[in-house]
């Protein structure tokens, strides 16, 4: 059972990140749009942190060698399976031999493909997330064959092919002008009155941006002090002014230490927004408080847990699963199958 990559575009296999990495000097990395990645895995009946595909900007195609159930989330795009138009943000059946194509990614930058049962990937410090500095990770090329672990015969609505899944998830909105919420950084006072420029300026995303950091052009706050800043730990989302030319927002691929003053820190939910920002998109920063940011993050997690409960109920009604204590004959062999919350799933009966 496998997926064969036909047109890789710019795609990798990843998960939510290498959380043990920073203590060893490695960035956390992982899916840049964490909400979309979690949602894709939940929609496919997987744990949040199961390996999945991250597709950035370019068209992508793959062929299934067995019947599969997938879910595609993230930026708006044109999704076809075997030439049929299909919906994002819901489970989709793929028959053996059919091609899954993602085209015209627009509005945002990144899409996520989760496969029911997940795919096999190499692991470093408990994560398959690519690390360009360490030279680790699975970047997909034409002809790459990804091993899959579970087959699910096609599930379809028997009445007029009406939509089968209406799971109630609020899909993120993607626009060319994004509002990004931040909290004050530890060094905000070093910028004096110019710090307010961060909230009064519309910034433009540079083509030099990547998973390490977004570079933004616009009016820049200026540090009033000339004292040296010792290298120290910096969080994902730190906003720095490393030069007089652009603002730098550190993302999940950032190094764990830096020596620039931190003006502000992007909230967890707004990091997902920045993950979808394309070169030329506009960014507007809005100040928020830590309690407000925490409340929004917890609300997003509650929505995903509600989705998980709904998906589990629907899959059980469709027969996509086992009774507790009845092991499946096609359990995945890698360590992700032992994670708490991994559903014991088996092939479903076709309609």
């Amino acid at each position: 059972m496998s997926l064969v990559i036909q047109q890789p575009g710019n795609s990798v296999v990843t998960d939510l990140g290498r959380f043990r990495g920073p203590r060893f000097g490695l960035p956390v990395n992982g899916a840049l749009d964490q909400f979309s990645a979690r949602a894709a895995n939940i929609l496919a009946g997987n744990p949040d942190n199961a390996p999945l595909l991250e597709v950035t900007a370019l068209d992508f195609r793959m062929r299934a060698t067995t019947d599969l159930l997938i879910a595609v989330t993230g930026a708006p795009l044109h999704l076809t399976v075997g030439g049929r138009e299909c919906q994002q943000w819901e489970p989709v059946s793929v028959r053996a031999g059919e091609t899954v194509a993602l085209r015209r990614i627009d509005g945002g930058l990144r899409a996520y493909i989760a496969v029911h049962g997940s795919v096999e990937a190499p692991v470093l410090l408990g994560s398959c997330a690519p690390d360009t500095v360490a030279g680790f990770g699975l970047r997909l090329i034409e002809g790459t064959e990804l091993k899959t672990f579970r087959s699910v015969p096609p599930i379809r609505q028997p009445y007029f092919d009406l939509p089968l899944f209406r799971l109630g998830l609020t899909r993120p909105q993607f626009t060319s002008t994004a509002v990004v919420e931040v909290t004050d950084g530890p060094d905000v006072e070093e910028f004096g009155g110019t710090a307010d420029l961060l909230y009064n300026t519309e910034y433009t995303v540079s083509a030099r941006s990547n998973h390490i950091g977004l570079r933004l052009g616009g009016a820049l706050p200026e540090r009033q002090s000339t004292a040296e800043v010792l290298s120290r730990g910096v969080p994902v989302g730190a906003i720095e002014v490393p030069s007089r030319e652009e603002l730098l927002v550190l993302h999940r691929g950032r190094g764990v230490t830096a020596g620039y003053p931190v003006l502000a820190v992007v909230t967890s939910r707004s990091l997902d927004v920045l993950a979808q920002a394309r070169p030329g998109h506009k960014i507007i920063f809005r100040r928020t408080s830590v309690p407000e940011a925490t409340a929004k993050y917890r609300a997003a997690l509650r929505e995903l847990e509600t989705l998980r409960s709904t998906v589990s109920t629907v899959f059980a009604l469709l027969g996509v699963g086992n009774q507790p204590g009845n092991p499946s004959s096609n359990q995945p062999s890698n360590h992700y199958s032992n994670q708490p919350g991994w559903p014991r799933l088996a092939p479903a009966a076709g309609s």
Side-chain angles (χ1 to χ4, degrees), residues 294-326:
T294 301
K296 288 187 177 182
Y297 179 69
R298 289 176 175 170
L301 292 183
R302 285 195 299 270
E303 184 173 18
L304 291 174
E305 284 306 309
T306 299
L307 177 66
R308 183 188 304 284
S309 177
T310 303
V311 168
S312 296
T313 299
V314 171
F315 279 15
L317 291 172
L318 292 171
V320 185
N322 287 337
Q323 294 299 319
N326 179 22

Side-chain angles (χ1 to χ4, degrees), residues 31-37 54-57 73-77 88-89 105-112 172-178 180 205 214 251 269-279 281-283:
L32 265 67
D33 182 348
Q34 296 264 298
F35 184 88
S36 292
E54 182 180 68
V55 180
T56 302
T73 62
L77 52 81
Q88 289 179 256
W89 298 88
I105 298 176
D106 58 23
L109 188 62
R110 293 179 171 86
Y112 296 88
Q173 298 296 311
F174 301 95
T175 64
S176 59
T177 300
V180 172
V205 179
L214 275 81
H251 220 302
R269 289 295 289 124
S270 282
L271 279 171
D272 296 337
V273 174
L274 284 178
Q276 297 292 353
R278 303 175 69 95
H281 277 189
K282 305 298 182 181
I283 302 295

Side-chain angles (χ1 to χ4, degrees), residues 29 32 65 75 91 96 104-105 114 119 133 135 144 146 181 183 185 198 241 243 285 287 317 335-336:
N29 281 304
L32 265 67
T65 66
R104 301 198 298 273
I105 298 176
V119 297
V133 175
T144 299
L146 293 175
E181 295 190 330
T183 58
L198 184 68
V241 189
S243 71
F285 291 103
R287 179 185 276 119
L317 291 172
H335 76 288
Y336 291 95

